[in-house]
Amino acid sequence: MNAESDPQHIRFAVLAADVAVFTMREGKLLVRMMKVERPPYFPNHRGLPGGLIHPKEIAEDTARRIIEDRARIAPKKVHLEQLYTFSEIDRDPRGRVVAVAYIGLVAWDQLSAEEQKDSPSTWWAPVKGTSRLAYDHDEILKVALNRLRSRIEYTTVISKLVRKEFTLTELEEAYECILGKSLDKRNFRKKILKLDILKEVSGKRTIGKFRPAQLYRFTSNSVQEIEIV
Amino acid sequence: MNAESDPQHIRFAVLAADVAVFTMREGKLLVRMMKVERPPYFPNHRGLPGGLIHPKEIAEDTARRIIEDRARIAPKKVHLEQLYTFSEIDRDPRGRVVAVAYIGLVAWDQLSAEEQKDSPSTWWAPVKGTSRLAYDHDEILKVALNRLRSRIEYTTVISKLVRKEFTLTELEEAYECILGKSLDKRNFRKKILKLDILKEVSGKRTIGKFRPAQLYRFTSNSVQEIEIV
DNA sequence: CCAAAAGTGTTATGACTACACCCATGA
DNA sequence: TCATGGGTGTAGTCATAACACTTTTGG
């Protein structure tokens, strides 16, 4: 019998979950930040919401709890996907903490006034220009963005960032915002409609004093794997 | 100060790494198995190589150590990619163990005679027909296979499963084996050559008594993201 | 009638699919 | 010369990319 099969000798590590919750407002991608008060390492600092995994919790439930308690957002509104597990020895200066990182996506219009609002403890920050975060959260955010970018190209995850009913222009802007490049309006429409993942809904939306736009919604509520963009 | 900021109250979980090491022999995908002796839960059972993360180890190094000590393969030969972190409460009947799972890829011809050989403690098993593994390893293997399938379609990971110099027929068979479908020889060759990821090498290989085949190798040693198949 | 966003079609180019025969070799 | 795997080309179809003007609306 070796050391590991004897429970007395089992080695422990601290396990945490960190979450990069994204939303989109006025064509800008935002990420949820929280205050990190960890003197002397991170006095008056900021980072992604995170916390330790409880003994009777799967990592995804930890992520949900953190979204609720730390990010102050109702977790059932947030679409979660596991991102990567970060286990660098010194990623937390207080000791060995391994973090299972998640990506969270939520549509801005699904958020309550409270959830949209910024507070001293948690707030929305534009992704562009967000850096110098506590722990290894710069790295986590970078990996999360890369994953988000690649996933919108072959899945329908973008459905979790736009409102339930949207115009094709809004959808195109969401793609452009995450991909960081502009798309051809006519080609985008042809392509997205041919995929057969959207359905027209009866209403139209008027923005300002101009021509109203047809509204659409995703036919399926679940994230599907298809070739987009 | 809340409970989590007080080191006395930090909650611990057991962390492990599990590895699905794949290789390919005679057009069949094999996965490395090990004996699991955990009475009364898994007497005389089998599973993927796995073990606990040491305090001063990143998860990937744990995976390498397990590949060396448990799977009995020189870890530097194995290409590793993090797969997913499994944290179901009861995935290990002995207690709470969270596993960071990895995919390992190694070319059969890179293995020594010892490494190719099966022993009572660790052996190669054809992926097709491998099931009823210990812990949640059926699930891990399933997720690993899905990931492997999708990754060979948009990266050059297959380079880690074929020998350094290979014929186009060998490469095509490797794709067919993992994708589980046959490809058109002419179309496959046109496509793979146009991608500009292979270079001809001077030699030819004769199999049996027939016409010798041109040898190729991947131009880059690293796994690249490109649209294949 | 003006300003602004919504909406729409064509053409050229390149990629993909389907498909069948000749070539080189060793026995 | 035969058996076997190696190697190649074309035509039809489909997807992509580039590109500009008309429509609808409220003020």
Side-chain angles (χ1 to χ4, degrees), chain A residues 13 55 57 59 82 85 87 96, chain B residues 13 55 57 59 82 85 87 89 96:
Chain A
E57 233 178 16
Q82 191 182 300
T85 295
S87 63
R96 188 72 202 282
Chain B
E57 235 178 15
Q82 191 183 300
T85 295
S87 64
I89 311 286
R96 187 73 203 282

Side-chain angles (χ1 to χ4, degrees), chain A residues 64-119:
Chain A
R64 281 183 212 292
R65 180 169 51 76
I66 285 160
I67 288 171
E68 180 151 38
D69 297 349
R70 302 255 161 112
R72 310 305 267 148
I73 295 170
K76 64 171 190 279
K77 298 175 180 175
V78 181
H79 171 80
L80 269 187
E81 301 194 355
Q82 191 182 300
L83 173 62
Y84 194 79
T85 295
F86 295 84
S87 63
E88 293 295 318
I89 311 288
D90 298 320
R91 57 176 297 284
D92 189 321
R94 292 168 299 159
R96 188 72 202 282
V97 180
V98 172
V100 184
Y102 283 82
I103 289 178
L105 302 176
V106 62
W108 180 257
D109 78 305
Q110 291 279 300
L111 297 172
S112 68
E114 285 302 305
E115 290 164 338
Q116 292 181 347
K117 211 164 35 181
D118 294 340
S119 82

Side-chain angles (χ1 to χ4, degrees), chain A residues 159-178:
Chain A
S159 66
K160 305 299 178 181
L161 277 175
V162 297
R163 51 181 125 187
K164 281 270 176 328
E165 304 193 339
F166 48 85
T167 68
L168 293 184
T169 300
E170 283 166 358
L171 187 62
E172 184 186 338
E173 282 168 355
Y175 274 100
E176 291 175 336
C177 163
I178 295 174

Side-chain angles (χ1 to χ4, degrees), chain B residues 19-23 29-36 45-50 66-67 69-73 115 117-138 141:
Chain B
V19 194
V21 182
F22 294 104
T23 192
L29 193 65
L30 308 178
V31 62
R32 192 67 163 175
M33 303 300 309
M34 69 176 260
K35 190 171 162 186
V36 175
H45 229 278
R46 66 223 157 110
L48 300 174
I66 285 160
I67 287 171
D69 296 349
R70 301 256 160 112
R72 310 306 264 146
I73 295 169
E115 290 164 338
K117 211 163 37 181
D118 294 339
S119 82
S121 57
T122 181
W123 64 93
W124 292 106
V127 165
K128 201 177 280 184
T130 291
S131 66
R132 304 216 133 269
L133 305 181
Y135 311 107
D136 56 352
H137 289 185
D138 281 344
L141 184 55

